[in-house]
Amino acid sequence: MSGNLDQHEAFKVPLATFETLLNDLRSDKATWDVQSFRKSIYDYANLLKAHLSEEIDTIRPAVLKAKITREQLAAHEQETDKYFIANTSLTKDPQIFFINVIVRGINSVLYYSGQVEPGTSSYKSFLGYTNEVLVYLHKHHLFEEERYFPFLESHLGAGTMSGNVDEHEAFKEPLAAFETLLNDLRSEKATWNVETFRKSIYDFSNLLKVHLSEEIDTLRPAVLKAKITREQFDAFQSESKKYFIANTSLVKDPQFLFINGDGVNGAWFPPLPGPISFVSKALLWHLHSDWWQFGSCDKNMHVKPEFAAYEPVKEK
């Protein structure tokens, strides 16, 4: 990889020059000139483009598979989880977008349940994807109950979030029933019936829909800003990073967020640094690519046409 490292060094100077120009413009030390601005970008971007092109050739799956086993790659990813999560930006509250991801995940399962046939490879992949929707839902609610709700109550007042916790309890039973059905389908203990499958989803998702709607009202910026300072919120987000380090899988979580993300209303979401986005899409995507085909979006968070009608409308 010495060639890649040399290329990193090659564009450091022009990149630093552009950063200096940008900082000078932001502090009014420099005068805006679009041609100078663009030239400064091209000075480093042309070198970066050549570097990325060669880097992609280096990390193509066929090249890596010839030298690196799946076990070695998985072990490496466990080690790098801490690095990537520690460098993830959480300065914007992503909770509303996480809620949208849940809604898109459930919508996609309902839609594609009518497109698969039992006994096929796509059917097994679909059930694997459906399991990831549930894994994500559990992670979201566990974070809320262990971290987010206690934080909010400490500032908004005791009992403020008790209604939300009660709503979590209300749909646990029908959610568990759906999980049992899904596990039985995956182990072939149950026979596929799309109507039974969808009904089991509706049994918990109708309750979940009410809960998420009320939760959004609780998390409105105007409500939070009235009780929580920026410093308090940033301190909470810093603490939350430790939680995410312990509960994030780089071979599944970023990919799930991309295929159910929101490139229209939240282009910054998910709040991941460039390197992790690149690795997630270019290197780790193929590990479960058969699952990710069932998302509401493609890997670049472009909503698929069949789901456009169900997209949330941004409030004015």
Side-chain angles (χ1 to χ4, degrees):
M1 304 298 291
S2 59
N4 297 82
L5 293 175
D6 291 342
Q7 289 167 350
H8 278 198
E9 292 297 323
F11 60 75
K12 275 186 178 179
V13 173
L15 178 59
T17 299
F18 175 69
E19 287 183 294
T20 298
L21 173 61
L22 180 61
N23 290 332
D24 287 348
L25 288 168
R26 297 182 70 187
S27 61
D28 295 326
K29 292 180 180 179
T31 302
W32 173 257
D33 180 86
V34 65
Q35 297 303 325
S36 298
F37 185 81
R38 288 177 175 174
K39 180 182 182 302
S40 189
I41 293 176
Y42 288 133
D43 286 344
Y44 80 84
N46 287 334
L47 294 172
L48 177 62
K49 180 180 178 181
H51 161 65
L52 292 177
S53 178
E54 293 185 17
E55 189 169 77
I56 288 174
D57 287 335
T58 305
I59 61 174
R60 289 188 185 281
V63 176
L64 299 180
K65 286 180 179 179
K67 298 291 185 180
I68 305 174
T69 66
R70 183 180 290 270
E71 290 73 20
Q72 290 170 328
L73 179 61
H76 169 70
E77 288 309 314
Q78 289 179 357
E79 289 298 316
T80 54
D81 274 355
K82 293 182 180 181
Y83 174 86
F84 285 123
I85 302 302
N87 288 278
T88 294
S89 171
L90 292 174
T91 55
K92 297 180 180 180
D93 185 5
Q95 287 301 311
I96 301 301
F97 290 101
F98 284 142
I99 289 173
N100 285 345
V101 167
I102 292 172
V103 174
R104 289 191 186 91
I106 293 173
N107 282 346
S108 62
V109 169
L110 286 168
Y111 176 82
Y112 284 112
S113 64
Q115 307 293 314
V116 296
E117 293 291 336
T120 64
S121 59
S122 61
Y123 169 75
K124 292 182 179 179
S125 297
F126 169 74
L127 295 180
Y129 168 73
T130 302
N131 186 66
E132 288 308 304
V133 173
L134 294 182
V135 168
Y136 177 82
L137 179 59
H138 281 304
K139 283 185 176 181
H140 176 76
H141 286 157
L142 190 62
F143 170 73
E144 288 184 327
E145 292 176 2
E146 292 186 348
R147 304 285 173 159
Y148 201 47
F149 288 171
F151 166 73
L152 293 177
E153 284 209 346
S154 70
H155 294 282
L156 303 181
T160 303
M161 307 304 296
S162 59
N164 297 81
V165 175
D166 291 342
E167 289 166 354
H168 280 197
E169 291 297 321
F171 61 76
K172 276 187 177 179
E173 184 175 338
L175 178 60
F178 176 68
E179 287 185 289
T180 298
L181 172 61
L182 177 63
N183 290 333
D184 287 348
L185 288 169
R186 296 185 75 187
S187 62
E188 299 182 351
K189 292 180 181 179
T191 303
W192 173 256
N193 181 289
V194 66
E195 296 304 326
T196 301
F197 184 81
R198 288 176 172 174
K199 181 183 182 303
S200 189
I201 293 176
Y202 287 131
D203 286 344
F204 79 84
S205 64
N206 286 336
L207 295 171
L208 177 62
K209 179 181 177 181
V210 174
H211 162 64
L212 293 177
S213 178
E214 294 184 9
E215 187 170 89
I216 288 174
D217 286 335
T218 306
L219 302 177
R220 290 187 183 280
V223 175
L224 301 183
K225 286 181 180 179
K227 298 289 186 178
I228 306 173
T229 66
R230 167 57 63 183
E231 290 73 21
Q232 291 169 329
F233 186 73
D234 287 346
F236 168 73
Q237 296 290 48
S238 295
E239 286 297 314
S240 297
K241 286 184 178 181
K242 298 176 184 178
Y243 182 92
F244 288 116
I245 288 173
N247 293 279
T248 296
S249 166
L250 285 179
V251 300
K252 296 179 181 179
D253 290 334
Q255 294 81 0
F256 184 81
L257 293 179
F258 287 133
I259 61 168
N260 289 299
D262 190 349
V264 177
N265 298 312
W268 60 273
F269 180 87
L272 303 172
I276 190 172
S277 294
F278 177 78
V279 171
S280 298
K281 295 178 182 179
L283 180 58
L284 302 178
W285 193 272
H286 73 280
L287 295 177
H288 300 293
S289 59
D290 58 319
W291 294 352
W292 311 140
Q293 64 179 308
F294 296 107
S296 292
C297 310
D298 63 19
K299 68 168 63 177
N300 297 312
M301 296 194 301
H302 297 145
V303 178
K304 296 175 182 176
E306 54 266 38
F307 296 101
Y310 306 103
E311 277 298 288
V313 178
K314 189 173 183 180
E315 295 181 351
K316 296 180 180 180

